[in-house]
Amino acid sequence: MIGPFALDRVRVYSASEESPCADGFYTPRTGDVAVHRDVLTDRHRTLSVLFHEAAHRVRHRGGGRWIPSPDHGDRSRGLEHMLTEFGGLLLGLLADVADGGTLPDPATPPPTPGNRRRVRQTVADDPAVPASRELAHLLTDRLPHALTAGGFTDVHDLVASTAVRPVYWNLLTRPRPAGIRRQQGVSTAWDYDKVALLANAVGVHPPVVWLASNLCEGPLHGRRRDQWGQPGRWAKQVCDLVTRACTDLEHLGGAYAAQVPALRALADGTTPAPTGEDSWQVPALTLVVLERQRLHLDNQQPR
């Protein structure tokens, strides 16, 4: 009903220091949901707990039609809003069935290619950030080659050589859903020059890294939250940076330059970029695939 991002790993416990933990809890740090083992003896209680904890998780992490928000705790307006949204969605589906319709097929995540990395970072696999997720895997897969070629001891040595703060590397390799804002510090890898330094150190084209990391922020940046994802031209700062990235792609030529019209159409507002729909991120995903092919990281074809 909600989507494959609503629940991932569900832990079962008999005792916990989390509070409250009578029936279950959600852990924002890991994204895990936990259910008390006694709850599993009662189907109704199990479904109720999973429904409640999924509301915590989706409000916190976002996904599908929903934007992430820090307002996800118990007895918060955010959780109340999320539960209301879930309830309305469920009642709508039941009404369709009552009118002779059928329930939609459950949403499923896209299949993972068989020749991709065996070990994944949980954060990087969040379905709410498709282009950023693929970028994280690209950088992680490329890193061993970059360390050897540059004579670096480890990733910390490589990042230090660029004089860019490590938080930027963390944002590129551990992406979060679009729209998350820290109260202090850096929330997005927005500075093109800093991203370029890290990209060059790893041997990846800078416009690919910047676009894959930030395209999902395009319809949000510089707008009030109630205007996120709405039609219209993106904010001037975003358009300027997209233009810079497009200029670099044109210099690369070939299939890279072929993505420029689609990217400009997004920034101009000609192509919609609605919240909860990620098909408009295909240009950024295609650029990541082109980089994987250029760097001989796998045989995956552009999507």
Side-chain angles (χ1 to χ4, degrees), residues 59-61 67-73 76 78 179-181 183 225:
R59 181 66 179 179
H60 174 233
R61 295 165 64 90
I67 290 294
S69 170
D71 182 26
H72 63 84
S76 68
I180 288 184
R181 301 289 184 266
Q183 293 183 346
R225 185 175 289 267

Side-chain angles (χ1 to χ4, degrees), residues 215 232-234 261-273 280-281 283:
L215 194 65
R233 185 179 175 84
W234 292 357
L263 293 166
R264 293 190 187 278
L266 284 167
D268 291 342
T270 304
T271 300
W280 53 271
Q281 295 186 41

